[in-house]
Amino acid sequence: MVVRRWLIGLAAGAAVVWACSAVSDFFEDIGGGPVRSAADYRKQDINTREAGRRIIGDLRPGAGHGDRLHEEGSTSCVDDLGFDDGGVTRKQPHYTWGLHYSGEADYLADLGRLRAAWERRGWKTEDQPAREPVNPDRPTPRWPGIRTTDDHGVTIAIGIDWYTGEPKLSADGGCIRYQRDNGVTARKRTGAADGKSPARQGAITYDDGVQVSIGPVQPMTPAPDATGDGTPAAHTYRVPVTVTNLSGAPVELRSYDIGSHAGENPGVKRLKGYPTELSSGGPHVVSEGESTRLEYVYTAETEPSHLDLTYGPGELHTPYPWRLSMP
């Protein structure tokens, strides 16, 4: 009798735990899934872009171009129920590539080629029936499509675009909630980038391959009206920043990526008109494989012993302290 009661109690407890877990999973799902890091979003964005490019490489030559991708917006990846607080946001890496074929036979041959490639990789192929024409007066090809999901959870599909009537490739990485302040971290920091002893210059290499170098600080003479009141400061310095993008996704640079430690640079002021590449307010895009050099400018009435600042390239990379020596 005692054993029976114990078993009943154990079963009841397990049922309560299962119910709580199911309810938690339900609300997590309708809230957009678990909160991940900005580094996780960056990684999935790169995975999604690379998934599409890999599929382009599996097609017949000339069917598509891996670098000619279009970013798709999403009306479903939004916070309708108020699950995101001030430090959390959400995005959906979703891209499409236009494809070109001389006729249905070439298109179907590529679908067959992809089926075989996906089977070798252990991915399940899902058939997509031909779409009904949206506008009867503008008939579109009644060609079927296929879809699969890769090892990173990216949904890959090829079919006929309902609007243009042209074949297209789609790669969708899914809706991701992430913490803005938990970005891609550095795997290597040298020189002024360690934030300890002042150095002429330094460098950081981030986990995704983005590289940043800053320095050396150089004296300069600003334009007569650059200091804001028309009177040049006693000391003006340019601080060169070079961002090299060896990752698989663009980096968007903004003027507020750089900042100073509060109270660490008394009497030092950054001129807001620099870098000129970022003065328009919009982001400056550093594409994959490219490098961009920017110049931030600081003024001071008395010569500082060194310059303390923080820098992180774009919103998805962790900013780190830099300590630069003066010329």
Side-chain angles (χ1 to χ4, degrees), residues 21-59:
S21 177
V23 170
S24 175
D25 291 343
F26 170 76
F27 280 104
E28 187 174 89
D29 288 342
I30 65 174
V35 177
R36 301 162 68 181
S37 67
D40 289 332
Y41 171 79
R42 174 74 174 175
K43 185 175 182 180
Q44 186 67 350
D45 186 27
I46 292 174
N47 288 338
T48 305
R49 294 168 182 266
E50 290 180 345
R53 293 175 179 135
R54 181 173 56 244
I55 299 303
I56 293 288
D58 290 336
L59 302 176

PDB file of all heavy atoms in Angstrom, residues 21-59:
ATOM      1  N   SER A  21       6.845  22.372 -17.779  1.00  0.00           N
ATOM      2  CA  SER A  21       7.773  22.466 -18.906  1.00  0.00           C
ATOM      3  C   SER A  21       7.027  22.737 -20.202  1.00  0.00           C
ATOM      4  O   SER A  21       7.463  23.552 -21.022  1.00  0.00           O
ATOM      5  CB  SER A  21       8.573  21.169 -19.018  1.00  0.00           C
ATOM      6  OG  SER A  21       9.418  21.203 -20.137  1.00  0.00           O
ATOM      7  N   ALA A  22       5.878  22.066 -20.387  1.00  0.00           N
ATOM      8  CA  ALA A  22       5.097  22.266 -21.610  1.00  0.00           C
ATOM      9  C   ALA A  22       4.571  23.688 -21.694  1.00  0.00           C
ATOM     10  O   ALA A  22       4.593  24.318 -22.759  1.00  0.00           O
ATOM     11  CB  ALA A  22       3.950  21.260 -21.654  1.00  0.00           C
ATOM     12  N   VAL A  23       4.082  24.217 -20.569  1.00  0.00           N
ATOM     13  CA  VAL A  23       3.561  25.590 -20.549  1.00  0.00           C
ATOM     14  C   VAL A  23       4.685  26.577 -20.842  1.00  0.00           C
ATOM     15  O   VAL A  23       4.526  27.529 -21.617  1.00  0.00           O
ATOM     16  CB  VAL A  23       2.901  25.902 -19.193  1.00  0.00           C
ATOM     17  CG1 VAL A  23       2.588  27.397 -19.090  1.00  0.00           C
ATOM     18  CG2 VAL A  23       1.633  25.083 -19.024  1.00  0.00           C
ATOM     19  N   SER A  24       5.871  26.330 -20.222  1.00  0.00           N
ATOM     20  CA  SER A  24       7.014  27.210 -20.458  1.00  0.00           C
ATOM     21  C   SER A  24       7.425  27.192 -21.917  1.00  0.00           C
ATOM     22  O   SER A  24       7.665  28.239 -22.520  1.00  0.00           O
ATOM     23  CB  SER A  24       8.182  26.774 -19.573  1.00  0.00           C
ATOM     24  OG  SER A  24       9.336  27.535 -19.859  1.00  0.00           O
ATOM     25  N   ASP A  25       7.483  25.980 -22.511  1.00  0.00           N
ATOM     26  CA  ASP A  25       7.841  25.872 -23.927  1.00  0.00           C
ATOM     27  C   ASP A  25       6.819  26.555 -24.814  1.00  0.00           C
ATOM     28  O   ASP A  25       7.169  27.184 -25.824  1.00  0.00           O
ATOM     29  CB  ASP A  25       7.970  24.400 -24.330  1.00  0.00           C
ATOM     30  CG  ASP A  25       9.182  23.731 -23.689  1.00  0.00           C
ATOM     31  OD1 ASP A  25      10.068  24.459 -23.208  1.00  0.00           O
ATOM     32  OD2 ASP A  25       9.221  22.484 -23.672  1.00  0.00           O
ATOM     33  N   PHE A  26       5.524  26.442 -24.443  1.00  0.00           N
ATOM     34  CA  PHE A  26       4.470  27.059 -25.237  1.00  0.00           C
ATOM     35  C   PHE A  26       4.645  28.574 -25.275  1.00  0.00           C
ATOM     36  O   PHE A  26       4.620  29.196 -26.338  1.00  0.00           O
ATOM     37  CB  PHE A  26       3.096  26.697 -24.670  1.00  0.00           C
ATOM     38  CG  PHE A  26       1.970  27.478 -25.275  1.00  0.00           C
ATOM     39  CD1 PHE A  26       1.499  27.179 -26.542  1.00  0.00           C
ATOM     40  CD2 PHE A  26       1.372  28.533 -24.589  1.00  0.00           C
ATOM     41  CE1 PHE A  26       0.456  27.900 -27.113  1.00  0.00           C
ATOM     42  CE2 PHE A  26       0.335  29.255 -25.149  1.00  0.00           C
ATOM     43  CZ  PHE A  26      -0.130  28.931 -26.399  1.00  0.00           C
ATOM     44  N   PHE A  27       4.835  29.183 -24.088  1.00  0.00           N
ATOM     45  CA  PHE A  27       4.964  30.634 -24.053  1.00  0.00           C
ATOM     46  C   PHE A  27       6.280  31.087 -24.687  1.00  0.00           C
ATOM     47  O   PHE A  27       6.362  32.164 -25.271  1.00  0.00           O
ATOM     48  CB  PHE A  27       4.862  31.146 -22.614  1.00  0.00           C
ATOM     49  CG  PHE A  27       3.439  31.243 -22.128  1.00  0.00           C
ATOM     50  CD1 PHE A  27       2.935  30.298 -21.249  1.00  0.00           C
ATOM     51  CD2 PHE A  27       2.608  32.255 -22.566  1.00  0.00           C
ATOM     52  CE1 PHE A  27       1.621  30.373 -20.811  1.00  0.00           C
ATOM     53  CE2 PHE A  27       1.294  32.341 -22.133  1.00  0.00           C
ATOM     54  CZ  PHE A  27       0.791  31.391 -21.255  1.00  0.00           C
ATOM     55  N   GLU A  28       7.322  30.247 -24.572  1.00  0.00           N
ATOM     56  CA  GLU A  28       8.588  30.581 -25.218  1.00  0.00           C
ATOM     57  C   GLU A  28       8.425  30.578 -26.728  1.00  0.00           C
ATOM     58  O   GLU A  28       8.930  31.441 -27.430  1.00  0.00           O
ATOM     59  CB  GLU A  28       9.662  29.582 -24.797  1.00  0.00           C
ATOM     60  CG  GLU A  28      11.050  29.939 -25.290  1.00  0.00           C
ATOM     61  CD  GLU A  28      12.101  29.010 -24.738  1.00  0.00           C
ATOM     62  OE1 GLU A  28      12.351  27.969 -25.386  1.00  0.00           O
ATOM     63  OE2 GLU A  28      12.683  29.321 -23.700  1.00  0.00           O
ATOM     64  N   ASP A  29       7.684  29.595 -27.251  1.00  0.00           N
ATOM     65  CA  ASP A  29       7.473  29.500 -28.691  1.00  0.00           C
ATOM     66  C   ASP A  29       6.683  30.679 -29.222  1.00  0.00           C
ATOM     67  O   ASP A  29       7.044  31.282 -30.234  1.00  0.00           O
ATOM     68  CB  ASP A  29       6.758  28.193 -29.035  1.00  0.00           C
ATOM     69  CG  ASP A  29       7.674  26.985 -28.885  1.00  0.00           C
ATOM     70  OD1 ASP A  29       8.906  27.186 -28.856  1.00  0.00           O
ATOM     71  OD2 ASP A  29       7.154  25.855 -28.773  1.00  0.00           O
ATOM     72  N   ILE A  30       5.584  31.034 -28.545  1.00  0.00           N
ATOM     73  CA  ILE A  30       4.786  32.150 -29.050  1.00  0.00           C
ATOM     74  C   ILE A  30       5.489  33.472 -28.822  1.00  0.00           C
ATOM     75  O   ILE A  30       5.191  34.472 -29.488  1.00  0.00           O
ATOM     76  CB  ILE A  30       3.372  32.186 -28.418  1.00  0.00           C
ATOM     77  CG1 ILE A  30       3.453  32.456 -26.906  1.00  0.00           C
ATOM     78  CG2 ILE A  30       2.619  30.903 -28.684  1.00  0.00           C
ATOM     79  CD1 ILE A  30       2.090  32.635 -26.252  1.00  0.00           C
ATOM     80  N   GLY A  31       6.470  33.496 -27.895  1.00  0.00           N
ATOM     81  CA  GLY A  31       7.243  34.712 -27.673  1.00  0.00           C
ATOM     82  C   GLY A  31       8.385  34.863 -28.638  1.00  0.00           C
ATOM     83  O   GLY A  31       9.052  35.884 -28.636  1.00  0.00           O
ATOM     84  N   GLY A  32       8.630  33.877 -29.481  1.00  0.00           N
ATOM     85  CA  GLY A  32       9.689  33.967 -30.463  1.00  0.00           C
ATOM     86  C   GLY A  32      10.882  33.095 -30.162  1.00  0.00           C
ATOM     87  O   GLY A  32      11.906  33.206 -30.812  1.00  0.00           O
ATOM     88  N   GLY A  33      10.761  32.210 -29.167  1.00  0.00           N
ATOM     89  CA  GLY A  33      11.880  31.320 -28.852  1.00  0.00           C
ATOM     90  C   GLY A  33      12.754  31.886 -27.751  1.00  0.00           C
ATOM     91  O   GLY A  33      12.521  32.982 -27.230  1.00  0.00           O
ATOM     92  N   PRO A  34      13.798  31.150 -27.370  1.00  0.00           N
ATOM     93  CA  PRO A  34      14.676  31.593 -26.282  1.00  0.00           C
ATOM     94  C   PRO A  34      15.477  32.830 -26.672  1.00  0.00           C
ATOM     95  O   PRO A  34      15.711  33.088 -27.849  1.00  0.00           O
ATOM     96  CB  PRO A  34      15.586  30.387 -26.066  1.00  0.00           C
ATOM     97  CG  PRO A  34      15.620  29.703 -27.397  1.00  0.00           C
ATOM     98  CD  PRO A  34      14.239  29.873 -27.965  1.00  0.00           C
ATOM     99  N   VAL A  35      15.888  33.595 -25.663  1.00  0.00           N
ATOM    100  CA  VAL A  35      16.742  34.750 -25.912  1.00  0.00           C
ATOM    101  C   VAL A  35      18.177  34.263 -26.049  1.00  0.00           C
ATOM    102  O   VAL A  35      18.727  33.647 -25.139  1.00  0.00           O
ATOM    103  CB  VAL A  35      16.636  35.781 -24.771  1.00  0.00           C
ATOM    104  CG1 VAL A  35      17.597  36.940 -25.016  1.00  0.00           C
ATOM    105  CG2 VAL A  35      15.213  36.309 -24.667  1.00  0.00           C
ATOM    106  N   ARG A  36      18.773  34.526 -27.181  1.00  0.00           N
ATOM    107  CA  ARG A  36      20.140  34.110 -27.456  1.00  0.00           C
ATOM    108  C   ARG A  36      21.042  35.342 -27.454  1.00  0.00           C
ATOM    109  O   ARG A  36      20.630  36.433 -27.061  1.00  0.00           O
ATOM    110  CB  ARG A  36      20.183  33.356 -28.785  1.00  0.00           C
ATOM    111  CG  ARG A  36      19.284  32.118 -28.782  1.00  0.00           C
ATOM    112  CD  ARG A  36      18.953  31.610 -30.171  1.00  0.00           C
ATOM    113  NE  ARG A  36      20.126  31.069 -30.834  1.00  0.00           N
ATOM    114  CZ  ARG A  36      20.094  30.586 -32.070  1.00  0.00           C
ATOM    115  NH1 ARG A  36      18.964  30.589 -32.768  1.00  0.00           N
ATOM    116  NH2 ARG A  36      21.191  30.096 -32.629  1.00  0.00           N
ATOM    117  N   SER A  37      22.256  35.190 -27.871  1.00  0.00           N
ATOM    118  CA  SER A  37      23.194  36.309 -27.896  1.00  0.00           C
ATOM    119  C   SER A  37      23.241  36.935 -29.281  1.00  0.00           C
ATOM    120  O   SER A  37      22.863  36.309 -30.279  1.00  0.00           O
ATOM    121  CB  SER A  37      24.602  35.835 -27.497  1.00  0.00           C
ATOM    122  OG  SER A  37      25.128  34.967 -28.486  1.00  0.00           O
ATOM    123  N   ALA A  38      23.716  38.182 -29.341  1.00  0.00           N
ATOM    124  CA  ALA A  38      23.930  38.817 -30.641  1.00  0.00           C
ATOM    125  C   ALA A  38      24.957  38.034 -31.449  1.00  0.00           C
ATOM    126  O   ALA A  38      24.889  37.987 -32.676  1.00  0.00           O
ATOM    127  CB  ALA A  38      24.387  40.257 -30.449  1.00  0.00           C
ATOM    128  N   ALA A  39      25.903  37.388 -30.753  1.00  0.00           N
ATOM    129  CA  ALA A  39      26.883  36.541 -31.444  1.00  0.00           C
ATOM    130  C   ALA A  39      26.197  35.347 -32.103  1.00  0.00           C
ATOM    131  O   ALA A  39      26.579  34.932 -33.206  1.00  0.00           O
ATOM    132  CB  ALA A  39      27.948  36.070 -30.457  1.00  0.00           C
ATOM    133  N   ASP A  40      25.166  34.790 -31.446  1.00  0.00           N
ATOM    134  CA  ASP A  40      24.417  33.684 -32.040  1.00  0.00           C
ATOM    135  C   ASP A  40      23.696  34.141 -33.303  1.00  0.00           C
ATOM    136  O   ASP A  40      23.652  33.419 -34.306  1.00  0.00           O
ATOM    137  CB  ASP A  40      23.400  33.127 -31.043  1.00  0.00           C
ATOM    138  CG  ASP A  40      24.056  32.370 -29.906  1.00  0.00           C
ATOM    139  OD1 ASP A  40      25.145  31.822 -30.108  1.00  0.00           O
ATOM    140  OD2 ASP A  40      23.477  32.352 -28.802  1.00  0.00           O
ATOM    141  N   TYR A  41      23.090  35.337 -33.235  1.00  0.00           N
ATOM    142  CA  TYR A  41      22.418  35.851 -34.434  1.00  0.00           C
ATOM    143  C   TYR A  41      23.426  36.047 -35.569  1.00  0.00           C
ATOM    144  O   TYR A  41      23.162  35.676 -36.715  1.00  0.00           O
ATOM    145  CB  TYR A  41      21.720  37.177 -34.146  1.00  0.00           C
ATOM    146  CG  TYR A  41      21.220  37.811 -35.422  1.00  0.00           C
ATOM    147  CD1 TYR A  41      20.049  37.361 -36.022  1.00  0.00           C
ATOM    148  CD2 TYR A  41      21.958  38.797 -36.072  1.00  0.00           C
ATOM    149  CE1 TYR A  41      19.620  37.891 -37.229  1.00  0.00           C
ATOM    150  CE2 TYR A  41      21.540  39.338 -37.279  1.00  0.00           C
ATOM    151  CZ  TYR A  41      20.365  38.875 -37.849  1.00  0.00           C
ATOM    152  OH  TYR A  41      19.951  39.382 -39.044  1.00  0.00           O
ATOM    153  N   ARG A  42      24.573  36.631 -35.240  1.00  0.00           N
ATOM    154  CA  ARG A  42      25.603  36.865 -36.260  1.00  0.00           C
ATOM    155  C   ARG A  42      26.018  35.547 -36.911  1.00  0.00           C
ATOM    156  O   ARG A  42      26.163  35.456 -38.135  1.00  0.00           O
ATOM    157  CB  ARG A  42      26.808  37.534 -35.597  1.00  0.00           C
ATOM    158  CG  ARG A  42      28.023  37.726 -36.493  1.00  0.00           C
ATOM    159  CD  ARG A  42      27.838  38.830 -37.479  1.00  0.00           C
ATOM    160  NE  ARG A  42      29.058  39.083 -38.229  1.00  0.00           N
ATOM    161  CZ  ARG A  42      29.138  39.944 -39.240  1.00  0.00           C
ATOM    162  NH1 ARG A  42      28.081  40.617 -39.614  1.00  0.00           N
ATOM    163  NH2 ARG A  42      30.271  40.123 -39.873  1.00  0.00           N
ATOM    164  N   LYS A  43      26.201  34.510 -36.085  1.00  0.00           N
ATOM    165  CA  LYS A  43      26.617  33.215 -36.614  1.00  0.00           C
ATOM    166  C   LYS A  43      25.554  32.628 -37.525  1.00  0.00           C
ATOM    167  O   LYS A  43      25.860  32.091 -38.596  1.00  0.00           O
ATOM    168  CB  LYS A  43      26.901  32.253 -35.452  1.00  0.00           C
ATOM    169  CG  LYS A  43      27.452  30.913 -35.885  1.00  0.00           C
ATOM    170  CD  LYS A  43      27.823  30.059 -34.684  1.00  0.00           C
ATOM    171  CE  LYS A  43      28.429  28.731 -35.099  1.00  0.00           C
ATOM    172  NZ  LYS A  43      28.800  27.904 -33.922  1.00  0.00           N
ATOM    173  N   GLN A  44      24.263  32.739 -37.126  1.00  0.00           N
ATOM    174  CA  GLN A  44      23.206  32.194 -37.967  1.00  0.00           C
ATOM    175  C   GLN A  44      23.032  33.006 -39.242  1.00  0.00           C
ATOM    176  O   GLN A  44      22.707  32.449 -40.307  1.00  0.00           O
ATOM    177  CB  GLN A  44      21.887  32.125 -37.195  1.00  0.00           C
ATOM    178  CG  GLN A  44      20.749  31.436 -37.924  1.00  0.00           C
ATOM    179  CD  GLN A  44      20.978  29.940 -38.141  1.00  0.00           C
ATOM    180  OE1 GLN A  44      22.070  29.426 -37.908  1.00  0.00           O
ATOM    181  NE2 GLN A  44      19.949  29.239 -38.576  1.00  0.00           N
ATOM    182  N   ASP A  45      23.264  34.298 -39.165  1.00  0.00           N
ATOM    183  CA  ASP A  45      23.209  35.133 -40.368  1.00  0.00           C
ATOM    184  C   ASP A  45      24.279  34.674 -41.362  1.00  0.00           C
ATOM    185  O   ASP A  45      24.017  34.531 -42.569  1.00  0.00           O
ATOM    186  CB  ASP A  45      23.429  36.593 -39.979  1.00  0.00           C
ATOM    187  CG  ASP A  45      23.248  37.541 -41.152  1.00  0.00           C
ATOM    188  OD1 ASP A  45      22.499  37.206 -42.092  1.00  0.00           O
ATOM    189  OD2 ASP A  45      23.850  38.634 -41.135  1.00  0.00           O
ATOM    190  N   ILE A  46      25.484  34.430 -40.869  1.00  0.00           N
ATOM    191  CA  ILE A  46      26.561  33.942 -41.728  1.00  0.00           C
ATOM    192  C   ILE A  46      26.207  32.561 -42.278  1.00  0.00           C
ATOM    193  O   ILE A  46      26.398  32.281 -43.473  1.00  0.00           O
ATOM    194  CB  ILE A  46      27.886  33.911 -40.954  1.00  0.00           C
ATOM    195  CG1 ILE A  46      28.336  35.344 -40.640  1.00  0.00           C
ATOM    196  CG2 ILE A  46      28.969  33.181 -41.750  1.00  0.00           C
ATOM    197  CD1 ILE A  46      29.558  35.428 -39.744  1.00  0.00           C
ATOM    198  N   ASN A  47      25.670  31.685 -41.409  1.00  0.00           N
ATOM    199  CA  ASN A  47      25.270  30.344 -41.863  1.00  0.00           C
ATOM    200  C   ASN A  47      24.237  30.420 -42.988  1.00  0.00           C
ATOM    201  O   ASN A  47      24.281  29.648 -43.949  1.00  0.00           O
ATOM    202  CB  ASN A  47      24.683  29.542 -40.701  1.00  0.00           C
ATOM    203  CG  ASN A  47      25.726  29.105 -39.697  1.00  0.00           C
ATOM    204  OD1 ASN A  47      26.907  29.027 -40.001  1.00  0.00           O
ATOM    205  ND2 ASN A  47      25.289  28.833 -38.483  1.00  0.00           N
ATOM    206  N   THR A  48      23.290  31.369 -42.865  1.00  0.00           N
ATOM    207  CA  THR A  48      22.216  31.493 -43.850  1.00  0.00           C
ATOM    208  C   THR A  48      22.764  31.965 -45.193  1.00  0.00           C
ATOM    209  O   THR A  48      22.406  31.434 -46.253  1.00  0.00           O
ATOM    210  CB  THR A  48      21.141  32.461 -43.338  1.00  0.00           C
ATOM    211  OG1 THR A  48      20.671  32.024 -42.058  1.00  0.00           O
ATOM    212  CG2 THR A  48      19.967  32.536 -44.300  1.00  0.00           C
ATOM    213  N   ARG A  49      23.625  32.960 -45.163  1.00  0.00           N
ATOM    214  CA  ARG A  49      24.237  33.446 -46.394  1.00  0.00           C
ATOM    215  C   ARG A  49      25.073  32.350 -47.061  1.00  0.00           C
ATOM    216  O   ARG A  49      25.013  32.160 -48.280  1.00  0.00           O
ATOM    217  CB  ARG A  49      25.120  34.668 -46.093  1.00  0.00           C
ATOM    218  CG  ARG A  49      24.344  35.894 -45.614  1.00  0.00           C
ATOM    219  CD  ARG A  49      25.292  36.942 -45.062  1.00  0.00           C
ATOM    220  NE  ARG A  49      24.594  38.105 -44.557  1.00  0.00           N
ATOM    221  CZ  ARG A  49      24.345  39.215 -45.256  1.00  0.00           C
ATOM    222  NH1 ARG A  49      24.744  39.279 -46.516  1.00  0.00           N
ATOM    223  NH2 ARG A  49      23.710  40.231 -44.720  1.00  0.00           N
ATOM    224  N   GLU A  50      25.865  31.649 -46.241  1.00  0.00           N
ATOM    225  CA  GLU A  50      26.715  30.596 -46.793  1.00  0.00           C
ATOM    226  C   GLU A  50      25.890  29.441 -47.340  1.00  0.00           C
ATOM    227  O   GLU A  50      26.296  28.789 -48.320  1.00  0.00           O
ATOM    228  CB  GLU A  50      27.681  30.107 -45.716  1.00  0.00           C
ATOM    229  CG  GLU A  50      28.756  31.139 -45.368  1.00  0.00           C
ATOM    230  CD  GLU A  50      29.712  30.645 -44.310  1.00  0.00           C
ATOM    231  OE1 GLU A  50      29.393  29.634 -43.649  1.00  0.00           O
ATOM    232  OE2 GLU A  50      30.776  31.275 -44.136  1.00  0.00           O
ATOM    233  N   ALA A  51      24.731  29.162 -46.728  1.00  0.00           N
ATOM    234  CA  ALA A  51      23.870  28.090 -47.224  1.00  0.00           C
ATOM    235  C   ALA A  51      23.418  28.390 -48.648  1.00  0.00           C
ATOM    236  O   ALA A  51      23.465  27.524 -49.525  1.00  0.00           O
ATOM    237  CB  ALA A  51      22.665  27.914 -46.304  1.00  0.00           C
ATOM    238  N   GLY A  52      22.987  29.631 -48.891  1.00  0.00           N
ATOM    239  CA  GLY A  52      22.569  29.989 -50.234  1.00  0.00           C
ATOM    240  C   GLY A  52      23.705  29.936 -51.238  1.00  0.00           C
ATOM    241  O   GLY A  52      23.546  29.438 -52.357  1.00  0.00           O
ATOM    242  N   ARG A  53      24.859  30.435 -50.831  1.00  0.00           N
ATOM    243  CA  ARG A  53      26.007  30.417 -51.742  1.00  0.00           C
ATOM    244  C   ARG A  53      26.441  28.989 -52.063  1.00  0.00           C
ATOM    245  O   ARG A  53      26.869  28.704 -53.185  1.00  0.00           O
ATOM    246  CB  ARG A  53      27.157  31.210 -51.124  1.00  0.00           C
ATOM    247  CG  ARG A  53      26.857  32.716 -51.014  1.00  0.00           C
ATOM    248  CD  ARG A  53      27.966  33.427 -50.297  1.00  0.00           C
ATOM    249  NE  ARG A  53      27.691  34.868 -50.215  1.00  0.00           N
ATOM    250  CZ  ARG A  53      27.846  35.596 -49.113  1.00  0.00           C
ATOM    251  NH1 ARG A  53      28.264  35.022 -48.006  1.00  0.00           N
ATOM    252  NH2 ARG A  53      27.573  36.885 -49.117  1.00  0.00           N
ATOM    253  N   ARG A  54      26.348  28.101 -51.070  1.00  0.00           N
ATOM    254  CA  ARG A  54      26.720  26.707 -51.321  1.00  0.00           C
ATOM    255  C   ARG A  54      25.777  26.068 -52.329  1.00  0.00           C
ATOM    256  O   ARG A  54      26.209  25.326 -53.218  1.00  0.00           O
ATOM    257  CB  ARG A  54      26.691  25.925 -50.005  1.00  0.00           C
ATOM    258  CG  ARG A  54      27.081  24.456 -50.168  1.00  0.00           C
ATOM    259  CD  ARG A  54      27.215  23.764 -48.835  1.00  0.00           C
ATOM    260  NE  ARG A  54      26.014  23.875 -48.045  1.00  0.00           N
ATOM    261  CZ  ARG A  54      25.924  24.522 -46.881  1.00  0.00           C
ATOM    262  NH1 ARG A  54      26.994  25.143 -46.395  1.00  0.00           N
ATOM    263  NH2 ARG A  54      24.792  24.573 -46.216  1.00  0.00           N
ATOM    264  N   ILE A  55      24.481  26.385 -52.221  1.00  0.00           N
ATOM    265  CA  ILE A  55      23.515  25.829 -53.173  1.00  0.00           C
ATOM    266  C   ILE A  55      23.774  26.375 -54.573  1.00  0.00           C
ATOM    267  O   ILE A  55      23.694  25.629 -55.566  1.00  0.00           O
ATOM    268  CB  ILE A  55      22.076  26.137 -52.722  1.00  0.00           C
ATOM    269  CG1 ILE A  55      21.800  25.498 -51.365  1.00  0.00           C
ATOM    270  CG2 ILE A  55      21.075  25.649 -53.758  1.00  0.00           C
ATOM    271  CD1 ILE A  55      22.013  23.999 -51.323  1.00  0.00           C
ATOM    272  N   ILE A  56      24.107  27.666 -54.665  1.00  0.00           N
ATOM    273  CA  ILE A  56      24.455  28.238 -55.977  1.00  0.00           C
ATOM    274  C   ILE A  56      25.602  27.448 -56.595  1.00  0.00           C
ATOM    275  O   ILE A  56      25.620  27.153 -57.800  1.00  0.00           O
ATOM    276  CB  ILE A  56      24.845  29.720 -55.839  1.00  0.00           C
ATOM    277  CG1 ILE A  56      23.632  30.562 -55.428  1.00  0.00           C
ATOM    278  CG2 ILE A  56      25.442  30.245 -57.148  1.00  0.00           C
ATOM    279  CD1 ILE A  56      22.599  30.753 -56.478  1.00  0.00           C
ATOM    280  N   GLY A  57      26.582  27.056 -55.762  1.00  0.00           N
ATOM    281  CA  GLY A  57      27.713  26.284 -56.254  1.00  0.00           C
ATOM    282  C   GLY A  57      27.341  24.886 -56.723  1.00  0.00           C
ATOM    283  O   GLY A  57      28.069  24.284 -57.513  1.00  0.00           O
ATOM    284  N   ASP A  58      26.198  24.371 -56.231  1.00  0.00           N
ATOM    285  CA  ASP A  58      25.748  23.041 -56.648  1.00  0.00           C
ATOM    286  C   ASP A  58      24.994  23.066 -57.979  1.00  0.00           C
ATOM    287  O   ASP A  58      24.757  22.014 -58.578  1.00  0.00           O
ATOM    288  CB  ASP A  58      24.832  22.430 -55.577  1.00  0.00           C
ATOM    289  CG  ASP A  58      25.581  22.057 -54.305  1.00  0.00           C
ATOM    290  OD1 ASP A  58      26.801  21.837 -54.386  1.00  0.00           O
ATOM    291  OD2 ASP A  58      24.951  21.991 -53.240  1.00  0.00           O
ATOM    292  N   LEU A  59      24.573  24.255 -58.419  1.00  0.00           N
ATOM    293  CA  LEU A  59      23.786  24.367 -59.643  1.00  0.00           C
ATOM    294  C   LEU A  59      24.695  24.428 -60.870  1.00  0.00           C
ATOM    295  O   LEU A  59      25.909  24.591 -60.769  1.00  0.00           O
ATOM    296  CB  LEU A  59      22.916  25.619 -59.581  1.00  0.00           C
ATOM    297  CG  LEU A  59      21.931  25.706 -58.403  1.00  0.00           C
ATOM    298  CD1 LEU A  59      21.208  27.042 -58.427  1.00  0.00           C
ATOM    299  CD2 LEU A  59      20.951  24.553 -58.421  1.00  0.00           C
TER     300      LEU A  59
END
